[in-house]
Amino acid sequence: MKSQRNISEFILLGLSYNQSIQIFCFVLFLLCYVALLAGNLLILVSIQWSPLFHQPMYYFLSHLSFIDICYTSTVTPKLITDLLAEKKTISYGNCMLQVLTMHFFGGTEIFILTAMAFDRYAAICKPLHYVIIMNRKRCHLLVLAAWAGGAIHAFPLFSTAIGLPFCAPNEIDHYFCDIFPLLKVACTDTYITGVLVIAFSGMVALVTFIVLFVSYGIILFTLRNLSAEGRRKALSTCWSHVTVVILFFGPVIFIYLRPPTTFPEDKIFALFYTIIAPMFNPLIYTLRNSEMKKAIRKVWCPSLF
């Protein structure tokens, strides 16, 4: 058995061996990545330069957009360049860094989405105390807690990955370095490690998902006491958030909350939380949000106002 230090690089098998499919995916994901960057930067700048930044919901949304950019940038540029490369390799150091950053930004996104759900709960269920509950200091603390939670989530997984011994073949059946594909190529018994991964990733995602949906159940129950206009406005923001939660958590739970193994379908599901969900977040949060659309027009087209 060789130490992992004797492995200088891994070979990523990517999405497909078919050249035509690879070219199609290159064009598709390049467009998706450009749209993702443009959309999230549009939201980030528009909120930062408008009065919406002082509202808790949009304060959290600006952080979500920033995290989406960081999160997907740990994987997507490498995926796009590999689609045109004859040999898809990643160095050992960059592979371990990818594991760390993926789970760090992914974990932070989970907790930011939780903070956004708490904000909607306070706004709808405790409207008279909303300003006190969601004061600026508490918003800062929630964001700080989200980043800290992301770090607490990521470092045990990173420590696990960096402690694995690897021996030939060093081929990873994925388009990026993740913990389960790495367990598959490790030359040691990984059962206990797999259980720890499920605890740190799968269970965290599942518990957070349940908490989010319970909170939205309470919100929906409370909406019956509001006027028709109040229900419409509350539902427009809630459904946007619920859509984002489903797009992100569904594939994550499918991949991480099961025995430590990999399937060919994992790569397709991984596309949802690494590219598709971050790309659609700007559309989901702006198309049905009149305040966001107004802020975008005001920042980017001031001559119209």
Side-chain angles (χ1 to χ4, degrees):
M1 183 183 296
K2 296 181 181 180
S3 167
Q4 69 268 29
R5 301 182 192 279
N6 294 329
I7 297 290
S8 60
E9 65 179 19
F10 293 97
I11 298 170
L12 298 171
L13 299 184
L15 291 172
S16 173
Y17 296 107
N18 188 297
Q19 188 68 31
S20 300
I21 293 176
Q22 289 189 57
I23 293 172
F24 170 77
C25 288
F26 169 80
V27 175
L28 176 64
F29 294 136
L30 179 61
L31 292 174
C32 287
Y33 187 56
V34 171
L36 185 154
L37 292 178
N40 282 291
L41 283 171
L42 180 68
I43 284 184
L44 187 59
V45 174
S46 298
I47 292 175
Q48 291 283 338
W49 289 90
S50 75
L52 291 182
F53 184 70
H54 301 289
Q55 297 184 32
M57 183 177 81
Y58 297 102
Y59 173 73
F60 293 133
L61 180 56
S62 67
H63 280 276
L64 180 67
S65 293
F66 175 72
I67 291 166
D68 276 340
I69 292 170
C70 297
Y71 180 58
T72 196
S73 294
T74 63
V75 170
T76 310
K78 173 68 175 167
L79 166 63
I80 292 169
T81 54
D82 278 351
L83 286 167
L84 295 182
E86 199 169 310
K87 190 178 181 183
K88 305 167 180 57
T89 61
I90 184 170
S91 68
Y92 176 85
N94 286 338
C95 182
M96 295 301 114
L97 181 63
Q98 207 170 59
V99 172
L100 174 64
T101 53
M102 273 289 296
H103 285 279
F104 173 60
F105 290 119
T108 305
E109 177 151 347
I110 285 174
F111 296 119
I112 286 288
L113 289 170
T114 306
M116 293 175 75
F118 178 70
D119 170 71
R120 290 300 83 205
Y121 167 80
I124 295 168
C125 301
K126 309 284 184 181
L128 299 178
H129 301 94
Y130 177 68
V131 176
I132 299 172
I133 294 172
M134 297 305 296
N135 57 63
R136 182 54 56 161
K137 182 180 179 181
R138 182 159 287 147
C139 290
H140 288 322
L141 287 174
L142 286 171
V143 168
L144 183 62
W147 286 100
I152 292 169
H153 164 73
F155 277 100
L157 296 173
F158 171 69
S159 301
T160 298
I162 209 167
L164 290 172
F166 297 103
C167 44
N170 57 338
E171 295 180 340
I172 298 176
D173 189 14
H174 216 300
Y175 62 88
F176 67 93
C177 284
D178 200 6
I179 191 72
F180 276 167
L182 283 171
L183 290 181
K184 192 173 181 181
V185 298
C187 47
T188 186
D189 184 7
T190 59
Y191 176 78
I192 300 298
T193 307
V195 172
L196 290 174
V197 172
I198 293 171
F200 273 102
S201 289
M203 289 306 297
V204 168
L206 180 63
V207 170
T208 309
F209 185 74
I210 292 171
V211 169
L212 289 173
F213 264 81
V214 168
S215 68
Y216 277 103
I218 296 170
I219 289 171
L220 290 174
F221 183 75
T222 306
L223 286 178
R224 77 194 198 287
N225 299 321
L226 299 182
S227 64
E229 179 61 23
R231 281 197 299 269
R232 186 198 63 78
K233 188 175 180 180
L235 282 172
S236 67
T237 57
C238 287
W239 284 125
S240 297
H241 192 224
V242 169
T243 305
V244 169
V245 167
I246 292 172
L247 275 176
F248 184 81
F249 279 88
V252 168
I253 291 172
F254 172 79
I255 289 177
Y256 292 105
L257 196 66
R258 69 176 193 222
T261 185
T262 58
F263 299 113
E265 295 80 11
D266 288 355
K267 290 182 274 189
I268 305 301
F269 278 95
L271 290 172
F272 277 89
Y273 60 82
T274 57
I275 301 175
I276 296 172
M279 181 184 68
F280 277 111
N281 281 359
L283 288 174
I284 291 168
Y285 279 111
T286 55
L287 288 180
R288 299 184 62 185
N289 191 317
S290 58
E291 286 185 318
M292 193 68 240
K293 287 188 283 189
K294 185 178 178 181
I296 290 172
R297 287 194 296 266
K298 208 166 185 177
V299 171
W300 299 97
C301 305
S303 58
L304 298 178
F305 291 84

